[in-house]
Amino acid sequence: MAPRKGALKDTLLTTTLNDLLQTDVDAISAYSLVIRQLESKVRKEIVRRYQTDHRRHVRELKRLIQAHGGAAIAVSHMPTGPFKLAMQAMGSAGGDRAVLLAFKANERQGRDKYRRAAATRGLPRDVARVLKRASRDEERHYQWAEKQLQQLHAGRRTAVGKAAGIMEVANARTVDAIEEIEKPIMTVLEATRRGVRAAAKHPLRTAAIAAAVTTAAGAAVALRGSRRR
Ligand SMILES: [Fe+2]
């Protein structure tokens, strides 16, 4: 099969979609834990409904990845355990408050990731439509958690809310940094997968694309490292 025009662009697109897919897979299992741990039946039911949004994201992302020539990687991110970490950190708050504080920290990550992805310029129309809708879902989930916490006197302005807010931001940054390291690996894997298919007819072009992807990925990791120093 001949390589399609914009192979590099497609590779980067499907890498981003795969990253979102893994975030959704993680969210589905985190939600199961939340549903089990929440005391309020009403809250359980709402989180169960939100979980079906994530299941829809998974279905739609898989379809998009395939439509744009990629291979869906529906596995969890590296076991950084962001949710478990947050649970431990918030443990002292007790009851639904503790569960919701951890849930909110987890939702922030998904919300920000979808927000960034949906705001990308030049997305294919089918991708833009799915990402915008999913981004709105994530905003809704996050806002719901925030409202519940206000009702439980653990809103943003309370002492526990403020402490949790600091943890939430720190947690999101740590998880983002770890997952950013995975992205270049996924990109190279994806480029190699596509490259193998394209190599038969255009070996030079394929090699150039693979080299460009590897260099860009390496540069991204180096830049991140130097910025932190
Ligand atoms: Fe969510």
Side-chain angles (χ1 to χ4, degrees):
M1 192 192 287
R4 285 172 29 209
K5 259 189 177 177
L8 179 59
K9 212 174 156 194
D10 275 355
T11 300
L12 293 172
L13 175 70
T14 53
T15 301
T16 300
L17 296 177
N18 257 318
D19 185 42
L20 290 169
L21 175 63
Q22 293 181 18
T23 303
D24 275 306
V25 169
D26 286 342
I28 291 170
S29 48
Y31 276 45
S32 295
L33 197 61
V34 169
I35 293 162
R36 254 203 320 272
Q37 302 237 337
L38 279 172
E39 287 162 6
S40 154
K41 281 199 177 130
V42 178
R43 292 193 185 109
K44 273 183 199 283
E45 206 35 61
I46 290 168
V47 176
R48 206 168 277 136
R49 217 171 57 221
Y50 289 165
Q51 195 181 33
T52 64
D53 289 337
H54 284 280
R55 292 194 205 282
R56 189 185 75 244
H57 300 171
V58 166
R59 281 196 307 274
E60 290 182 334
L61 287 169
K62 280 184 177 171
R63 187 175 47 76
L64 287 174
I65 292 165
Q66 217 170 18
H68 292 272
I73 310 169
V75 291
S76 172
H77 272 115
M78 281 180 190
T80 49
F83 189 69
K84 280 188 186 152
L85 278 177
M87 278 288 225
Q88 280 163 9
M90 314 301 177
S92 56
D96 277 9
R97 286 211 301 183
V99 180
L100 287 167
L101 283 167
F103 176 76
K104 187 162 80 86
N106 207 40
E107 283 306 291
R108 183 193 187 99
Q109 212 218 331
R111 181 200 66 174
D112 291 353
K113 211 169 239 195
Y114 264 107
R115 207 185 253 176
R116 282 196 299 268
T120 310
R121 282 163 181 260
L123 287 173
R125 203 175 296 171
D126 55 346
V127 175
R129 191 177 49 77
V130 167
L131 295 192
K132 280 205 177 99
R133 186 177 175 196
S135 182
R136 282 198 300 272
D137 291 337
E138 293 308 293
E139 296 284 354
R140 196 170 63 247
H141 301 174
Y142 186 84
Q143 277 170 21
W144 173 80
E146 213 163 51
K147 205 167 159 201
Q148 296 306 303
L149 284 164
Q150 272 168 19
Q151 287 174 9
L152 292 167
H153 309 290
R156 265 184 301 177
R157 295 206 176 96
T158 61
V160 65
K162 276 181 193 158
I166 294 165
M167 283 299 301
E168 189 177 307
V169 173
N171 180 58
R173 282 194 189 137
T174 310
V175 173
D176 272 356
I178 292 168
E179 289 177 4
E180 281 303 312
I181 293 168
E182 284 178 71
K183 239 190 240 170
I185 302 168
M186 283 167 67
T187 310
V188 172
L189 284 176
E190 178 64 12
T192 311
R193 194 190 63 81
R194 287 169 188 262
V196 168
R197 249 182 8 197
K201 282 192 178 174
H202 298 270
L204 282 177
R205 188 171 167 186
T206 305
I209 289 171
V213 170
T214 311
T215 310
V221 171
L223 257 177
R224 274 176 186 280
S226 69
R227 243 186 262 145
R228 269 198 296 274
R229 252 171 251 139

